[in-house]
């Protein structure tokens, strides 16, 4: 089996997306007490061919061949308070932690890929 | 990669939230400290202050396709509570009016305590979010080790 280095590019896209998403989610937490603020999130829609892996869950990342279009959307959030703010702290922190875990997973996968490459290029120790 | 933003942008966003919550805490503390101040600058009793927050653009995100989705926060105004002062009958007080009433500030200590608790919780959430950004940056630095 050939070592497919293009997965590293996919993983890089995943790392970028999760980093940017963290910034948007951090903005939701910063605006916890801003009147009328509605929480935002980042989506990465998929427009790929049938040969590509399906992107059918929020955490999935489109493969590199497809257009990398990132759009933001109104997250809906929790119940709207009297001041029109719809940020739910628990919800945002849960999303931030899930996002962090996904980032860590992608980072770990890049490390493993590079470790395989290092193993192949080295003397097998 | 161009047109992207780094972890410092996320930290900038969290920092704006921390600064806003600290201002809320300072204002609540100031209100509590002046809960009995009958003679404030400008005459009359101290008037309760309120922090008005509004979301802002973040310079670090400028130029990215979703710059509008990255929202910082800033104190746009510190307003004065226009509700009437609390009147207490105390004819011997030097600031008593002709009817013997003294005007005390329109500060409700319970309300200020609640404000302080919510500001404190929001501050903690901001710290957590910033720690997460640092944690993610460290994971990125660990790639290939």
């Amino acid at each position: 089996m050939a070592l497919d280095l293009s997965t590293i590019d996919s993983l890089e896209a995943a790392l970028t997306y999760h980093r940017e998403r963290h910034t948007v989610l951090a903005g939701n937490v910063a605006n916890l007490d801003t009147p009328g603020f509605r929480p935002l999130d980042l989506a990465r829609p998929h427009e790929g061919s049938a040969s590509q892996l399906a992107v059918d869950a929020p955490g999935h990342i489109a493969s590199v061949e497809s257009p990398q279009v990132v759009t933001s959307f109104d997250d809906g959030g929790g119940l709207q308070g009297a001041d029109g703010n719809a940020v739910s702290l628990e919800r945002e922190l849960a999303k931030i932690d899930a996002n962090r875990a996904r980032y860590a997973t992608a980072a770990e996968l890049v490390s493993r890929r590079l470790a395989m490459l290092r193993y192949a290029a080295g003397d097998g120790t | 990669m161009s047109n992207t933003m780094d972890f410092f942008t996320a930290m900038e966003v969290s920092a704006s939230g921390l600064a806003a919550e600290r201002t809320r805490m300072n204002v609540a503390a100031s209100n509590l400290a002046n809960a009995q101040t009958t003679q404030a600058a400008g005459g009359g009793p101290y008037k309760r202050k309120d922090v008005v927050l509004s979301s802002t653009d973040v310079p670090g995100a400028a130029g990215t396709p979703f710059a509008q989705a990255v929202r910082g926060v800033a104190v746009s105004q510190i307003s004065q509570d226009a509700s009437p002062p609390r009147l207490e009958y105390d004819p011997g007080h030097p600031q008593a009016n002709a009817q013997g009433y003294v005007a005390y500030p329109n500060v409700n200590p319970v309300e200020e305590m609640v404000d302080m608790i919510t500001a404190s919780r929001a501050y903690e959430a901001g710290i957590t979010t910033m720690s997460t950004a640092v944690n993610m940056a460290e994971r990125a630095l660990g790639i290939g080790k």
Side-chain angles (χ1 to χ4, degrees):
Chain A
M1 191 191 85
L3 185 62
D4 185 7
L5 287 175
S6 75
T7 52
I8 291 185
D9 292 334
S10 299
L11 290 166
E12 189 205 321
L15 289 170
T16 305
Y17 166 68
H18 287 120
R19 190 187 64 225
E20 290 168 344
R21 183 159 183 251
H22 177 81
T23 312
V24 173
L25 296 176
N28 292 343
V29 173
N31 283 285
L32 201 55
D33 294 305
T34 307
F37 186 84
R38 299 196 60 80
L40 298 160
D41 202 341
L42 278 194
R44 198 184 277 271
H46 176 63
E47 298 170 36
S49 64
S51 66
Q52 289 169 334
L53 291 176
V55 178
D56 49 13
H60 288 182
I61 302 297
S63 52
V64 280
E65 293 81 15
S66 63
Q68 297 288 306
V69 187
V70 180
T71 52
S72 63
F73 62 96
D74 188 323
D75 173 45
L79 279 176
Q80 193 164 310
D83 59 355
N85 186 299
V87 180
S88 156
L89 180 58
E90 296 77 10
R91 195 183 149 91
E92 297 307 324
L93 288 181
K95 282 165 82 169
I96 284 173
D97 210 47
N99 190 58
R100 182 198 58 75
R102 290 202 174 103
Y103 186 90
T105 307
E108 182 64 28
L109 286 172
V110 172
S111 283
R112 301 264 172 122
R113 280 274 151 189
L114 293 175
M116 280 167 72
L117 188 62
R118 199 160 50 226
Y119 179 79
D123 56 5
T125 56
Chain B
M1 200 183 276
S2 63
N3 265 3
T4 184
M5 49 197 178
D6 53 23
F7 279 113
F8 296 113
T9 311
M11 293 170 79
E12 195 181 326
V13 169
S14 291
S16 75
L18 295 180
E21 298 304 338
R22 191 164 40 77
T23 307
R24 283 183 68 211
M25 184 67 91
N26 284 343
V27 167
S30 164
N31 287 342
L32 275 177
N34 285 288
Q36 303 292 329
T37 305
T38 53
Q39 189 72 60
Y46 173 85
K47 287 191 179 64
R48 179 177 175 269
K49 307 284 186 291
D50 213 352
V51 176
V52 182
L53 300 177
S54 58
S55 69
T56 59
D57 289 339
V58 178
T64 59
F66 42 89
Q68 286 306 307
V70 179
R71 307 305 296 166
V73 68
V75 175
S76 58
Q77 196 194 342
I78 293 181
S79 64
Q80 277 197 349
D81 190 331
S83 61
R86 175 167 51 91
L87 293 176
E88 267 180 37
Y89 187 66
D90 186 3
H93 196 284
Q95 258 106 41
N97 63 10
Q99 287 76 40
Y101 284 95
V102 182
Y104 280 97
N106 52 354
V107 173
N108 178 356
V110 176
E111 205 178 311
E112 301 307 325
M113 289 308 292
V114 170
D115 266 1
M116 282 174 72
I117 292 168
T118 55
S120 167
R121 291 286 176 268
Y123 195 89
E124 284 170 24
I127 292 283
T128 305
T129 310
M130 199 185 264
S131 308
T132 304
V134 172
N135 177 287
M136 286 164 72
E138 282 169 359
R139 289 303 300 240
L141 287 172
I143 289 175
K145 272 189 185 161

